[in-house]
């Protein structure tokens, strides 16, 4: 069971890197700041390095800070991860811009509630985890608007050739954004595996082993190196036609926000922050430049993910319990039927 959970979590980390790259590269690709393959490999390298330099505050917040670990079992974590991975695959197949962070939290909450009851959810931890998820996109929108406004004021009389400078600066902001993304997202997978090791008795305390850190970092980076080109194209042109200045402003705003969240141990969704920062940067230039109906679709998806994965966790538990009951009945009937 433990090996299955580790494999599932690493697959989720790979898929997380694969999907989140689309958000990080959307602005760079839309403004033609860098060749696609070079951009992918640079993001993957940043994803590999960041977890080695950042602490484990986010890993603790999303696991030991969210649920009472003395009341749950390894099976709880397995159910949570199956729900999270299942929803991520479904949303990717349907082209829905969902969040791996939301699905993981929803899966863990749903699995804990159905297996251990509401008393196993830590109220303080729940507020600490949910509040940043709700506020970060709003703050991203405001920051994107403000940074774009400052850049517009600073370069209002600049020659169009200044776009070449903006494209070069985007390489720096892209790498910073990739570092901030990995510093937050890789820890979530590390936290799940470490918690599983504690629950299975392999670890005496919640301390992330070096092999877990390396495994999650490498897997996330490998996923990033593959790149979800469909989502990169969609995000790069779906919200509005992105110019180099829009991309630069949104990347700078997103990087600051995600790095700050990671430093305080707050889990945030990178795609959500980047998307709203892009909207803010576009709105700062002209409010009707942004296709706000697309923003509405995104917000609806974000709101649905946590309840959906909670429900999936409950269904998985009920299904497995039903199979167990059927097995018990069968084991009871077999010797009965065979008896004289």
């Amino acid at each position: 069971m433990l090996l299955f959970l580790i494999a599932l979590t690493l697959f989720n980390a790979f898929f997380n890197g694969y999907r989140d790259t689309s958000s990080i590269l959307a602005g760079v690709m839309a403004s033609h700041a860098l060749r696609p393959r070079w951009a992918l490999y640079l993001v993957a390298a940043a994803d590999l390095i960041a977890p080695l330099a950042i602490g484990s505050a986010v890993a603790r917040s999303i696991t030991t800070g969210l649920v009472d670990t003395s009341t749950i079992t390894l099976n709880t974590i397995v159910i949570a991860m199956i729900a999270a991975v299942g929803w991520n695959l479904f949303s990717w197949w349907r082209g829905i811009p969902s969040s791996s962070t939301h699905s993981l939290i929803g899966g863990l909450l749903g699995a804990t509630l159905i297996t251990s009851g509401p008393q196993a959810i830590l109220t303080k931890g729940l507020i600490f985890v949910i509040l940043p998820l709700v506020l970060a996109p709003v703050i991203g929108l405001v920051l994107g608007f403000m940074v774009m406004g400052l850049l517009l004021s600073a370069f209002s009389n600049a020659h169009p050739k200044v776009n070449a400078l903006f494209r070069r600066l985007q390489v720096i902001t892209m790498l910073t954004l990739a570092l901030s993304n990995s510093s937050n997202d890789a820890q979530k997978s590390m936290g799940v595996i470490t918690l599983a090791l504690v629950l299975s008795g392999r670890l005496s305390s919640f301390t992330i082993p070096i092999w877990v850190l390396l495994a999650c970092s490498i897997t996330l980076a490998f996923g990033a190196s593959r790149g979800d080109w469909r989502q990169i194209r969609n995000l790069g042109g779906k919200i509005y036609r992105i110019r180099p200045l829009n991309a630069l402003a949104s990347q700078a705003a997103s990087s600051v926000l995600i790095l700050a969240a990671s430093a305080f141990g707050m889990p945030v969704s990178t795609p959500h922050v980047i998307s709203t920062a892009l909207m803010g940067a576009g709105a700062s230039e002209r409010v009707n430049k942004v296709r706000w109906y697309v923003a509405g679709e995104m917000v609806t998806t974000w709101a649905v993910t946590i309840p959906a994965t909670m429900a999936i966790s409950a269904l998985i538990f009920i299904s497995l319990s039903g199979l167990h009951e059927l097995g018990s009945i069968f084991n009871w009937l077999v010797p009965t039927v065979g008896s004289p």
Side-chain angles (χ1 to χ4, degrees):
M1 186 67 77
L2 178 61
L3 289 177
F4 172 70
L5 177 62
I6 292 172
L8 197 63
T9 306
L10 290 177
F11 173 78
N12 195 52
F14 166 85
F15 203 64
N16 193 2
Y18 175 72
R19 293 198 72 184
D20 282 5
T21 306
S22 61
S23 304
I24 297 168
L25 294 184
V28 174
M29 295 296 98
S31 61
H32 306 288
L34 203 62
R35 289 183 179 179
R37 282 294 164 195
W38 276 108
L40 267 182
Y41 295 147
L42 284 172
V43 168
D47 279 348
L48 180 63
I49 294 167
L52 303 175
I54 306 295
S56 59
V58 174
R60 291 178 180 277
S61 297
I62 207 168
T63 50
T64 57
L66 184 60
V67 298
D68 183 357
T69 55
S70 65
T71 64
I72 63 173
T73 65
L74 191 60
N75 290 338
T76 306
I77 311 300
V78 171
I79 291 170
M81 285 308 304
I82 293 174
V85 170
W87 176 259
N88 289 339
L89 288 172
F90 171 76
S91 59
W92 170 74
W93 172 56
R94 299 297 299 174
I96 301 170
S98 66
S99 163
S100 299
T101 303
H102 282 212
S103 61
L104 176 58
I105 291 170
L108 190 57
L109 287 175
T112 302
L113 281 171
I114 196 70
T115 58
S116 305
Q119 69 277 2
I121 305 294
L122 303 176
T123 306
K124 247 186 212 182
L126 182 62
I127 295 170
F128 188 79
V129 166
I130 296 296
L131 204 58
L133 290 180
V134 174
L135 293 180
V138 178
I139 297 171
L141 181 74
V142 174
L143 279 179
F145 187 94
M146 291 172 61
V147 174
M148 185 65 182
L150 289 171
L151 291 175
L152 284 172
S153 298
F155 295 96
S156 57
N157 298 317
H159 191 276
K161 287 184 179 179
V162 76
N163 282 321
L165 172 64
F166 295 152
R167 289 189 178 95
R168 285 194 290 271
L169 289 174
Q170 273 185 71
V171 178
I172 298 172
T173 54
M174 179 197 72
L175 287 172
T176 307
L177 186 54
L179 287 166
S180 65
N181 167 62
S182 184
S183 69
N184 203 279
D185 279 5
Q187 286 194 52
K188 296 158 191 171
S189 299
M190 294 177 200
V192 170
I193 294 177
T194 304
L195 178 57
L197 292 170
V198 171
L199 293 175
S200 63
R202 302 301 177 93
L203 285 178
S204 58
S205 63
F206 191 92
T207 305
I208 299 174
I210 187 65
W211 69 266
V212 173
L213 188 150
L214 290 173
C216 292
S217 302
I218 292 169
T219 308
L220 185 76
F222 182 61
S225 71
R226 309 318 299 160
D228 187 353
W229 291 108
R230 180 182 61 172
Q231 289 295 332
I232 290 171
R233 295 187 189 98
N234 284 347
L235 189 58
K238 203 172 183 181
I239 300 174
Y240 60 85
R241 186 177 177 183
I242 300 171
R243 297 193 302 146
L245 195 59
N246 299 129
L248 182 65
S250 63
Q251 287 173 350
S254 302
S255 300
V256 170
L257 178 53
I258 298 169
L259 280 173
S262 298
F264 286 100
M266 298 176 178
V268 294
S269 171
T270 299
H272 294 185
V273 172
I274 295 173
S275 298
T276 55
L278 268 173
M279 292 173 200
S284 182
E285 192 174 6
R286 194 175 68 255
V287 174
N288 62 0
K289 178 176 182 174
V290 179
R291 298 185 182 99
W292 293 107
Y293 73 90
V294 176
E297 292 173 358
M298 287 181 172
V299 170
T300 301
T301 304
W302 301 343
V304 164
T305 299
I306 289 181
T309 44
M310 288 177 70
I312 293 169
S313 292
L315 288 173
I316 292 169
F317 176 77
I318 292 167
S319 300
L320 292 175
S321 298
L323 288 173
H324 178 72
E325 288 297 325
L326 284 174
S328 299
I329 293 169
F330 179 77
N331 290 334
W332 178 78
L333 284 174
V334 169
T336 305
V337 170
S339 62

